[in-house]
């Protein structure tokens, strides 16, 4: 058990060492995605505890968060392919359009 | 030698010419696709066909009168009396809103076309759009040549024509276009990896979900494709952008449509997409971590995950299995289960099993419906592997799954049609390119390059159609030019590795001629099938007279018109559920059951009434407030789809709910279904028998046949002269195809006395003829 913990610590430290080297832009996007995912998990746990009525409101909130997570992750993947060149900004247009659509679709469900 | 500037301007000119040719060829394909579906309007008239389209037409008529918002809330009190139907929540709105929108636009442009005309011509219009969508789809998969060939084949493939002739105003008319368009958007997103296209995919999928229940095919095909990409190591950011936003946005889109509602996230049909969604994230995470960690740490992490992760996965799986097993159908709806297990419907849901288009297809129907596409499709399947891209793998999976489902139900041949056409187009374009390139290569050492295209388009493959022959040469020239371009630069067409060997010149010419002949046969067959087999509106029948003229049987509309003019507006009409939509749309009267078949017990009640003796049936109908009952009878003219032939299904469905109805009672002593003197006793007493054959024996001898000869069952009926005690015949159409009876308030006490207007019982009728058609009393 102890050696498992040791390997875990080693893996985590090497991963964080490599992660520190990623560009700031990508780290911001990663943080935003993690935030969205955490909100989604929170909503799911809340729905499990309190009940799913009204279900459409739960769907709106949950899918909005998961959708944000997915889209931000997609943007991050595209931006990392450009490896930091300013031309990556044009990908943002598609991202904005997709997020707008996601929010309009989710708004349809809010009670 | 031409300088580099001249060379580029030459290629630019060639490209422009090629684009113009492609556009012209597509225009011809669209015109062809629409025209071949107009046979029904030419041969019969501009009328809505079959049964289901009448419901769509009625809702579209309501939409044109009241508007989009009212239609969303439409509650139909004219059907399923006394329950009614929440139309807004139980219909797929895509087709109806599309036609309504087209009608609105035309009205605003001051073109006063009646809603019925818009409905009739929606299907040919959208078949033209489907051809364009197929071109775009195959252009993404393989290239413009494959796109044009696929579009040319799908324009006239008989399977698609059968569900989209002018007048067939059913969901498939727009749904097949939406299906191919969603596939195009998915592959485009996959190839470009752009989020803007992912948004377009959302809108395309929204339209598809609104149009047809077959959207669950897409909802499962995309996860299968994603899973295949993961397994074969083709995970990339493009795949993620194509698939993951679709899962989320698609679930939101599907839940927006009331008829699907929360099933989009709760029912098993959609679980596959979420499952693969998780798998995709896991696969991407693994790749990301592998990139980030040094190799030693990565292998240690892998070991750790495998030991602990497998237990976590087992726990999750146990949860999912317990949730799914809690429902008796494992979370699948009845219709989906009947697709997965072909024997399910016949065991548990007789209504689904009784529909003729839910039966498995015969082998010959594959050839009739697909013709040359069924021969070329396997070649296309092989060509998907050369080279195997994400897009061609998608086409491969689409073809294979579509073939399985087409084997379950005849109506799903329609889902196979675009797949078969795309694969066949792929094979066709590759064969043509190879042969043309061989021809060009054979020309190369000798003549100038300019001769090669003109040589090859003499016998080149193209579309042969009697009305648009010029398009054949145009498309052929385009394919030849592309092949010539490829051949001249020495690069290999078709993704064959550089060492492709051209076939000899005469083999190439013969090959091209054979391809051309094969396509001509296909076009001839398709146009013939479209004209002769699939254009019948089935509400009007035609047959040939001995002198070659056409005899028209318009009995159904005659009877519905009688109902609409001669009955009280609040009268309730009972019949078998096949005719429910037509009755509400044309006769404008309330019906008890209709084609929606959502309430099995209600249908079983009507079936029980039809199968019961007269008094019992009278009581059942009186309890439902029914005033008129009608049956469809084909024994006078030999129309085989009448109610007596459907009667066993009424017995089975009724017997499924009311155990006193036992099928063996209605069969003869030898176990066969017959209406002559060997018939089952319960059949002779049943209301259906009595209503169909009442006074049938009085028709007089027909063409030398004995008295009471049923021309469909080809026997003399058993009970020939009887009176009805609880019903009164009010209308029989000209050829006896629709017979309407009124449910009496009190039984007819004189039924046992001889009716003085009839001939003496047991003797041939004298010259007194009954009135041909019309009310007997009142």
């Amino acid at each position: 058990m102890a050696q498992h913990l040791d390997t875990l610590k080693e893996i985590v430290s090497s991963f964080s060492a490599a992660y520190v080297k990623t560009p700031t832009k990508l780290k911001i996007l990663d943080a935003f995605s993690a935030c969205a995912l955490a909100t989604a998990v929170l909503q799911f746990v809340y729905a499990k505890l309190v009940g799913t009525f009204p279900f459409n409101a739960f769907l709106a909130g949950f899918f909005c968060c998961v959708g944000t997570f997915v889209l931000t992750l997609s943007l991050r993947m595209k931006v990392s392919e450009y490896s930091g060149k300013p031309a990556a900004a044009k990908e943002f247009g598609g991202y904005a359009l997709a997020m707008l659509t996601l929010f309009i679709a989710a708004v349809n469900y809010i009670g | 030698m031409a300088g580099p500037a001249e060379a580029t301007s030459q290629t630019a000119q060639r490209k422009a010419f090629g684009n113009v040719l492609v556009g012209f060829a597509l225009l011809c394909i669209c015109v062809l696709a629409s025209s071949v579906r107009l046979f029904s309007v030419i041969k019969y008239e501009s009328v809505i066909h079959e049964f289901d389209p009448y419901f769509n037409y009625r809702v579209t008529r309501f939409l044109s009168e009241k508007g989009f918002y009212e239609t969303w809330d439409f509650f139909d009190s004219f059907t399923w009396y006394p329950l009614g139907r929440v139309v807004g929540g139980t219909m797929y709105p895509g087709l109806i809103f599309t036609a309504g929108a087209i009608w609105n636009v035309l009205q605003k442009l001051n073109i006063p076309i009646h809603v019925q005309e818009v409905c009739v011509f929606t299907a040919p219009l959208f078949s033209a759009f489907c051809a364009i969508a197929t071109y775009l789809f195959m252009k993404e998969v393989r290239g413009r040549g494959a796109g044009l060939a696929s579009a040319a084949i799908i324009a006239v493939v008989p399977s698609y024509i059968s569900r989209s002739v002018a007048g067939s105003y059913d969901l498939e008319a727009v749904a097949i276009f939406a299906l191919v368009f969603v596939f195009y958007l998915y592959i485009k997103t996959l190839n470009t990896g752009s989020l803007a296209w992912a948004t377009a995919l959302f809108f395309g999928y929204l339209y598809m979900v609104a149009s047809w229940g077959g959207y669950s095919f897409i909802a499962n095909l995309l996860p299968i494709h994603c899973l295949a990409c993961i397994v074969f190591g083709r995970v990339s950011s493009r795949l993620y952008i194509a698939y993951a936003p679709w899962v989320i946005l698609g679930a939101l889109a599907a839940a927006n449509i009331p008829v699907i509602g929360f099933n989009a996230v709760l029912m098993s049909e959609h679980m596959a997409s979420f499952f693969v969604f998780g798998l995709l994230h896991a696969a991407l995470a693994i790749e990301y971590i592998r990139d980030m960690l040094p190799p030693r740490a990565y292998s240690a992490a892998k070991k750790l995950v495998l030991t602990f992760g497998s237990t976590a996965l087992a726990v999750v799986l146990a949860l999912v299995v317990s949730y799914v097993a809690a429902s008796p159908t494992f979370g699948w709806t009845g219709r989906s289960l009947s697709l997965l297990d072909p024997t399910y419907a016949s065991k548990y849901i007789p209504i689904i099993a009784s529909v003729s288009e839910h039966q498995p297809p015969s082998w010959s129907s594959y050839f009739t419906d697909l013709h040359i596409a069924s021969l070329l499709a396997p070649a296309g399947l092989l060509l998907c592997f050369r080279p195997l891209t994400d897009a061609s793998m998608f086409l491969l999976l689409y073809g294979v799954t579509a073939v399985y489902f087409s084997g379950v139900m005849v109506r799903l041949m329609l889902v196979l049609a675009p797949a078969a056409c795309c694969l066949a187009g792929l094979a066709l374009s590759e064969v043509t390119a190879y042969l043309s390139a061989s021809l060009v290569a054979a020309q190369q050492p000798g003549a100038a390059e300019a001769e090669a295209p003109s040589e090859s388009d003499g016998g080149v493959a193209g579309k042969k159609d009697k009305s648009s022959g010029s398009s054949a040469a145009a498309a052929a020239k385009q394919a030849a030019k592309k092949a010539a371009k490829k051949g001249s630069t020495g690069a290999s067409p078709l993704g064959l590795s550089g060492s492709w060997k051209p076939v000899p010149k005469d083999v190439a010419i013969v090959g091209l001629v054979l391809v051309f002949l094969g396509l001509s046969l296909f076009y001839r067959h398709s146009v013939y099938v479209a004209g002769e087999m699939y254009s019948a509106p089935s509400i009007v029948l035609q047959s040939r007279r001995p002198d070659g003229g056409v005899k028209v049987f318009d009995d159904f509309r005659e009877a519905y018109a009688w109902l609409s003019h001669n009955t009280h507006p609040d009268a309730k009409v009972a019949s078998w559920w096949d005719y429910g939509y037509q009755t509400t749309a044309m006769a404008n009267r309330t019906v008890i059951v209709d084609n929606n078949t959502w309430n099995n017990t209600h249908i079983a009640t009507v079936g029980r009434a039809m199968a019961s003796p007269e008094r019992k049936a009278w009581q059942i109908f009186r309890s439902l407030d029914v005033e008129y009952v009608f049956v469809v009878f084909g024994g006078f003219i030999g129309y085989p789809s009448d109610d007596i032939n459907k009667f066993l299904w009424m017995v089975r469905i009724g017997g499924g709910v009311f155990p006193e109805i036992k099928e063996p009672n209605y069969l003869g002593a030898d176990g066969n279904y017959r209406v002559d003197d060997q018939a089952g006793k319960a059949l002779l007493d049943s209301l259906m028998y009595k209503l169909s054959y009442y006074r049938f024996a009085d028709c007089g001898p027909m063409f030398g046949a004995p008295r009471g000869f049923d021309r469909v069952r080809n026997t003399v009926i058993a009970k020939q002269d009887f009176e009805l005690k609880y019903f009164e015949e009010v209308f029989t159409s000209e050829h006896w195809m629709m017979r309407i009876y009124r449910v009496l308030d009190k039984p007819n006490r004189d039924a046992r006395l001889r009716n003085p207007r009839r001939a003496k019982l047991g003797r041939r009728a004298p010259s007194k003829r009954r009135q041909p058609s019309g009310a007997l009393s009142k």
Side-chain angles (χ1 to χ4, degrees):
Chain A
M1 193 63 208
Q3 66 172 19
H4 283 308
L5 274 172
D6 281 336
T7 36
L8 201 59
K9 268 193 243 175
E10 196 192 315
I11 293 169
V12 167
S13 61
S14 53
F15 181 77
S16 40
Y19 187 68
V20 165
K21 297 200 203 102
T22 53
T24 328
K25 275 204 193 113
L26 295 183
K27 278 201 256 196
I28 295 176
L29 288 174
D30 281 342
F32 186 46
S33 315
C35 215
L37 190 61
T39 319
V41 169
L42 262 177
Q43 288 191 333
F44 189 73
V45 168
Y46 177 77
K48 270 278 170 267
L49 290 175
V50 176
T52 54
F53 182 79
F55 195 61
N56 51 311
F58 166 65
L59 271 188
F62 185 67
F63 274 91
C64 205
C65 292
V66 179
T68 312
F69 165 70
V70 162
L71 288 175
T72 316
L73 220 53
S74 321
L75 181 67
R76 190 236 194 250
M77 274 195 269
K78 295 242 74 168
V79 168
S80 72
E81 270 166 28
Y82 281 89
S83 49
K85 288 194 283 242
K90 78 171 180 222
E91 296 296 327
F92 190 74
Y95 173 72
L97 190 63
M99 287 288 265
L100 188 67
T101 318
L102 172 68
F103 282 128
I104 292 179
V107 154
N108 271 330
Y109 289 88
I110 297 181
Chain B
M1 292 310 283
E6 273 192 43
T8 43
S9 80
Q10 249 184 14
T11 36
Q13 210 174 28
R14 254 193 185 159
K15 274 212 179 96
F17 189 49
N19 284 336
V20 168
L21 268 186
V22 166
F24 183 64
L26 273 181
L27 183 67
C28 291
I29 290 176
C30 290
V31 168
L32 175 64
S34 316
S35 320
V36 84
R37 285 160 170 80
L38 295 180
F39 277 109
S40 53
V41 175
I42 296 170
K43 289 175 71 170
Y44 298 83
E45 62 184 280
S46 163
V47 71
I48 308 271
H49 294 194
E50 301 269 323
F51 302 108
D52 282 358
Y54 272 98
F55 169 70
N56 298 326
Y57 169 57
R58 187 159 154 260
V59 183
T60 317
R61 222 171 43 198
F62 181 86
L63 174 75
S64 68
E65 286 158 21
K66 302 273 177 36
F68 287 93
Y69 199 67
E70 292 295 320
T71 311
W72 208 239
D73 290 332
F74 181 25
F75 177 80
D76 189 9
S77 56
F78 263 52
T79 144
W80 295 97
Y81 182 83
L83 304 164
R85 175 184 174 181
V86 182
V87 169
T90 55
M91 67 164 180
Y92 280 97
L95 171 74
I96 292 161
F97 280 18
T98 309
I102 295 177
W103 181 83
N104 263 322
V105 164
L106 288 175
Q107 291 293 109
K108 295 235 166 42
L109 291 175
N110 278 327
I111 305 176
I113 296 189
H114 190 263
V115 163
Q116 183 178 345
E117 308 304 326
V118 174
C119 294
V120 163
F121 290 102
T122 299
L125 177 69
F126 274 83
S127 66
F129 293 160
C130 181
I132 298 185
T134 313
Y135 164 74
L136 291 171
F137 173 56
M138 283 311 284
K139 187 164 90 117
E140 285 302 312
V141 172
R142 201 40 77 87
R144 290 204 298 192
L148 275 181
S150 310
I153 296 182
I154 204 175
V156 289
V157 70
S159 163
Y160 184 30
I161 290 182
S162 71
R163 304 290 301 200
S164 67
V165 285
S168 178
Y169 182 56
D170 207 353
L171 298 178
E172 287 91 349
V174 296
I176 300 298
F177 157 67
L179 184 92
V180 181
F181 197 58
V182 165
F183 287 158
Y184 159 63
L185 290 173
Y186 178 68
I187 296 297
K188 186 80 179 175
T189 316
L190 192 59
N191 283 343
T192 57
S194 134
L195 277 174
W197 280 106
T199 316
L201 174 61
F202 161 72
F203 284 108
Y205 186 67
L206 176 67
Y207 186 60
M208 176 69 206
V209 162
S211 297
W212 198 31
Y215 79 92
S216 53
F217 177 68
I218 302 187
N220 285 303
L221 182 60
L222 263 53
I224 291 178
H225 173 246
C226 188
L227 189 62
C229 285
I230 296 176
V231 165
F232 292 121
R234 291 174 166 274
V235 181
S236 64
S237 68
R238 292 176 295 115
L239 178 69
Y240 186 78
I241 291 177
Y243 183 73
W246 168 79
V247 170
I248 304 300
L249 288 172
L252 281 177
N256 245 328
I257 311 294
V259 70
I260 304 170
F262 295 145
N263 285 351
V265 294
L266 292 178
M267 280 285 153
S268 292
E269 282 118 8
H270 307 87
M271 287 301 142
S273 54
F274 297 122
F275 176 63
V276 177
F277 182 66
L279 266 185
L280 182 61
H281 278 100
L284 278 173
I286 291 175
E287 260 198 40
Y288 176 68
I289 293 184
R290 190 194 341 209
D291 285 338
M292 296 287 275
L293 287 181
R296 207 174 54 96
Y298 174 67
S299 55
K302 202 157 70 162
K303 258 193 290 221
L304 210 59
V305 164
L306 280 177
T307 38
F308 288 110
S310 46
T311 35
L313 188 65
V315 166
V316 167
L317 263 177
L319 279 173
V320 167
V321 164
S322 63
Y323 168 73
V324 159
S327 108
T329 54
F330 302 120
W332 296 87
T333 58
R335 289 195 176 225
S336 312
L337 262 182
S338 63
L339 280 179
L340 290 177
D341 174 15
T343 58
Y344 180 80
S346 49
K347 279 187 276 187
Y348 298 106
I349 318 178
I351 283 198
I352 295 185
S354 73
V355 181
S356 66
E357 56 184 12
H358 289 182
Q359 309 307 318
S362 56
W363 281 112
S364 57
S365 64
Y366 275 93
F367 194 70
T368 313
D369 277 351
L370 294 176
H371 204 259
I372 207 171
S374 62
L375 297 176
L376 288 175
L381 272 179
L382 283 179
L383 276 169
C384 282
F385 286 100
R386 315 172 80 184
L388 183 68
T389 63
D390 294 344
S392 66
M393 185 149 72
F394 178 77
L395 182 60
L396 191 66
L397 289 169
Y398 175 31
V400 169
T401 47
V403 165
Y404 170 72
F405 285 116
S406 74
V408 175
M409 278 190 194
V410 162
R411 70 178 299 193
L412 292 180
M413 285 279 287
L414 187 57
V415 172
L416 175 62
C421 292
C422 290
L423 290 169
L426 186 61
L428 190 64
S429 81
E430 301 283 347
V431 159
T432 317
Y434 184 57
L435 292 173
S436 315
S438 309
L439 213 52
V440 165
Q443 293 291 320
Q444 201 107 19
E449 199 185 326
E451 274 188 27
S454 57
E455 176 95 276
S456 57
D457 73 8
V460 83
K463 317 178 302 287
K464 179 178 185 276
D465 180 55
K466 300 193 169 50
S467 54
S468 57
S470 58
S471 68
K477 241 191 258 182
Q478 161 64 16
K481 266 218 167 27
K482 274 172 49 81
K485 248 197 297 197
K486 285 199 184 123
S488 64
T489 56
S492 65
L494 345 163
L496 293 172
S497 53
S499 61
W500 73 288
K501 287 221 285 216
V503 292
K505 176 168 123 183
D506 22 13
V507 174
I509 292 185
V510 168
L512 285 173
V513 166
L514 283 178
V515 169
F516 180 64
L517 279 179
L519 277 182
S520 327
L521 284 176
F522 171 62
Y523 272 75
R524 227 181 115 240
H525 167 86
S526 300
V527 172
Y528 169 77
V529 159
E532 296 299 316
M533 282 173 54
Y534 288 141
S535 290
S538 86
I539 191 152
V540 177
L541 306 171
Q542 268 185 10
S543 77
R544 297 240 152 237
R545 273 201 291 251
D547 59 2
V550 165
K551 183 159 175 58
V552 173
F553 299 93
D554 209 0
D555 285 45
F556 293 112
R557 291 196 291 179
E558 182 190 347
Y560 292 129
W562 186 92
L563 264 181
S564 124
H565 288 296
N566 291 295
T567 60
H568 189 264
D570 287 338
K572 323 280 184 282
V573 178
S575 67
W576 193 231
W577 59 261
D578 289 2
Y579 315 106
Y581 282 156
Q582 283 182 345
T583 312
T584 42
M586 280 198 276
N588 209 24
R589 294 287 175 270
T590 311
V591 291
I592 307 294
V593 288
D594 71 11
N595 308 55
N596 191 27
T597 67
W598 66 270
N599 191 333
N600 193 31
T601 312
H602 222 48
I603 296 181
T605 310
V606 174
R608 179 189 184 204
M610 292 297 190
S612 308
E614 206 186 330
R615 179 174 164 79
K616 187 87 187 105
W618 178 73
Q619 284 171 338
I620 295 175
F621 281 137
R622 294 270 299 167
S623 75
L624 286 170
D625 292 346
V626 171
E627 201 179 324
Y628 293 92
V629 180
F630 74 81
V631 295
V632 167
F633 173 61
F636 184 76
I637 53 158
Y639 172 63
S641 310
D642 65 351
D643 280 357
I644 290 279
N645 274 353
K646 293 181 194 165
F647 183 59
L648 272 186
W649 282 110
M650 300 186 199
V651 166
R652 283 177 196 138
I653 294 173
V657 178
F658 302 101
E660 78 237 20
I661 306 205
K662 299 184 187 43
E663 192 181 335
N665 292 346
Y666 295 86
L667 302 173
D670 53 356
N672 285 331
Y673 178 61
R674 37 200 321 166
V675 296
D676 53 10
D677 41 2
Q678 308 283 329
K681 175 91 177 33
L683 174 64
L684 295 179
D685 286 336
S686 69
L687 183 70
M688 175 56 66
Y689 183 93
K690 292 207 167 137
L691 294 186
S692 296
Y693 292 120
Y694 179 60
R695 299 185 52 156
F696 179 56
D698 291 345
C699 285
M702 296 180 293
F703 314 101
R707 193 166 175 262
F709 184 76
D710 183 340
R711 289 178 69 187
V712 176
R713 267 62 58 178
N714 284 322
T715 57
V716 176
I717 60 177
K719 253 191 338 196
Q720 295 189 357
D721 300 296
F722 53 88
E723 285 295 337
L724 291 174
K725 195 165 165 199
Y726 297 92
F727 295 84
E728 180 193 12
E729 181 187 11
V730 286
F731 182 76
T732 296
S733 60
E734 185 182 344
H735 305 101
W736 287 59
M737 276 166 62
M738 280 259 286
R739 310 196 63 187
I740 308 179
Y741 294 83
R742 201 168 78 86
V743 176
L744 294 173
D745 304 327
K746 290 196 273 273
N748 179 8
R749 291 217 203 130
D750 302 332
R752 296 223 172 251
L753 299 178
R754 258 174 30 198
N755 185 338
R757 277 198 286 182
R758 290 186 55 218
K760 290 218 196 90
L761 295 173
R763 266 201 248 148
R764 272 187 44 200
S767 57
K768 236 188 273 196
R769 283 178 347 137
R770 67 175 292 283
Q771 341 270 335
S773 65
L776 294 176
S777 57
K778 290 205 182 5

